Amino acid sequence: MTIMRTTGLLLACVLIVTAGCTLLQAKKTPAPAPAPAPPTVLGSEPTPPPYLPPDRAVDKWDRCEKVHTYSADNLYLSLGREGARYKEYGFVELVQTKYRVGIEGTERLDVQVHHMRDNVAAFGIYSVTHDKNAEPVEVGARACATDLTVDMVKGPYFVRLNLDTAVAESRDSLVRFATYIAEKLPGDNALPALLSAFPEKDRVPHSEQYLAPGFLDRPYLKGGYRVLYETRGVRYTMFLCDGGDPDEAVMTMSLFRMSFQNVGSAEALLPRPWLRAFWALDPKLGRALVFQKGRYIGGTMGLPDRKPAILLSIELANALP
């Protein structure tokens, strides 16, 4: 009886010691490392537009955000007050999303594709919003780039790429990204047709602009083109706007001339390739030659010598339909 009791006590002690050792060993054994976080799940969404690169189609860029679409009614949610300017130029729709380099990339690339009314509207918003210190690059109809941005226009589309942090060779990568989009977008790489009417000689490269209604600070002027020139160190401007139709252009021309008379002088010019024209002197614009041909109103500003102003205006007028 005593032997059985002693044996039972020994067996209990062995079980207790064994359990304790197992518990100590379990405490010493490190917990397994957690599984790596899965890549960003974008969830179910409509098929993205074909001009947005799939993951790794351009370098190591992966899309990390759903595609958002904005109309004129809710554009302020993306652009804030700046959206009003886009609507002045004939905004239709904005497609916006973000990319990053790989799963662990910290930098973010904001991609905006603005669908505008036509190629004139797209070129116009490009011409007044792009970084003036950016370098021209050969993408689409017109484009420029920095280490953080690319602005590009093709057909009725204006594309803006914004990188929040510059990385190695970021400019080249952004240009490749913009090139992918440009090749997938519909439309051609032609600039607005009326820009070809401006003389090429002495034109300042990439100085062309299309300005919305209120052109030249005249609210009655519809949108128009402005191009910078430089001759022997003198900078001046040539301009051209569409008056709508010949009769409307006559009325606009009269208002234009009256606005100069209020601040300077206006002197009629003999008929040449235009229907009517006058000289004017404006404290803000300098000496101006303004002509009307059909539905178009154009001329020079800031060129003090009359002879070159007349010759340039004749060349511009002759190139118009």
Side-chain angles (χ1 to χ4, degrees):
M1 186 72 168
T2 303
I3 293 173
M4 292 179 63
R5 187 176 295 172
T6 303
T7 303
L9 289 172
L10 288 172
L11 182 58
C13 290
V14 170
L15 291 173
I16 292 172
V17 170
T18 302
C21 291
T22 302
L23 183 59
L24 289 172
Q25 186 175 3
K27 288 183 178 181
K28 292 180 181 179
T29 304
T40 302
V41 178
L42 298 177
S44 60
E45 61 173 337
T47 303
Y51 51 75
L52 290 178
D55 291 354
R56 308 300 171 101
V58 180
D59 299 338
K60 295 183 179 180
W61 292 108
D62 292 337
R63 187 160 59 87
C64 60
E65 188 177 284
K66 289 185 177 182
V67 176
H68 303 281
T69 302
Y70 300 92
S71 67
D73 294 332
N74 64 355
L75 183 60
Y76 67 92
L77 294 175
S78 174
L79 301 185
R81 294 181 179 179
E82 183 68 8
R85 174 185 277 190
Y86 282 72
K87 288 190 280 188
E88 285 180 352
Y89 279 82
F91 171 84
V92 176
E93 183 180 75
L94 166 62
V95 172
Q96 185 176 24
T97 189
K98 293 186 187 295
Y99 284 74
R100 67 182 176 188
V101 177
I103 295 174
E104 299 180 354
T106 57
E107 63 285 318
R108 292 292 184 271
L109 175 62
D110 180 49
V111 179
Q112 301 178 18
V113 180
H114 298 262
H115 185 192
M116 307 298 286
R117 180 181 57 240
D118 51 31
N119 70 330
V120 174
F123 175 78
I125 199 65
Y126 165 86
S127 70
V128 297
T129 63
H130 76 271
D131 188 338
K132 300 303 184 289
N133 296 317
E135 295 182 0
V137 290
E138 295 296 326
V139 182
R142 178 66 59 86
C144 59
T146 69
D147 290 340
L148 293 174
T149 64
V150 171
D151 289 330
M152 181 266 291
V153 62
K154 178 186 178 182
Y157 295 93
F158 168 57
V159 177
R160 168 157 287 170
L161 306 180
N162 274 315
L163 183 62
D164 60 4
T165 305
V167 295
E169 300 182 354
S170 59
R171 180 181 305 201
D172 292 340
S173 185
L174 291 178
V175 170
R176 286 191 290 270
F177 201 106
T179 300
Y180 182 98
I181 294 177
E183 290 175 349
K184 301 293 183 180
L185 283 173
D188 55 34
N189 290 329
L191 292 172
L194 280 181
L195 281 175
S196 63
F198 286 87
E200 288 291 341
K201 185 180 178 182
D202 296 332
R203 190 192 297 195
V204 176
H206 293 268
S207 66
E208 302 89 348
Q209 287 185 309
Y210 178 82
L211 303 177
F215 182 54
L216 301 181
D217 297 326
R218 268 69 175 181
Y220 47 83
L221 286 181
K222 297 182 179 181
Y225 298 91
R226 184 172 66 185
V227 182
L228 292 179
Y229 289 79
E230 184 170 352
T231 305
R232 300 188 190 91
V234 177
R235 281 212 165 194
Y236 54 95
T237 301
M238 296 197 72
F239 69 94
L240 181 65
C241 59
D242 189 337
D245 61 57
D247 292 336
E248 188 177 354
V250 170
M251 296 178 60
T252 301
M253 187 72 166
S254 298
L255 291 172
F256 204 7
R257 181 169 181 170
M258 288 172 60
S259 72
F260 280 110
Q261 287 176 322
N262 291 337
V263 294
S265 62
E267 175 187 340
L269 275 170
L270 294 175
R272 282 188 169 82
W274 42 67
L275 177 64
R276 55 181 56 82
F278 62 87
W279 290 105
L281 188 61
D282 184 279
K284 192 173 181 180
L285 303 176
R287 181 177 293 278
L289 188 160
V290 184
F291 70 80
Q292 180 212 343
K293 180 182 179 183
R295 60 188 292 171
Y296 300 105
I297 296 172
T300 65
M301 296 182 297
L303 187 56
D305 295 335
R306 293 193 173 204
K307 184 175 180 180
I310 291 175
L311 293 177
L312 285 168
S313 296
I314 288 175
E315 185 175 351
L316 176 59
N318 281 334
L320 295 174

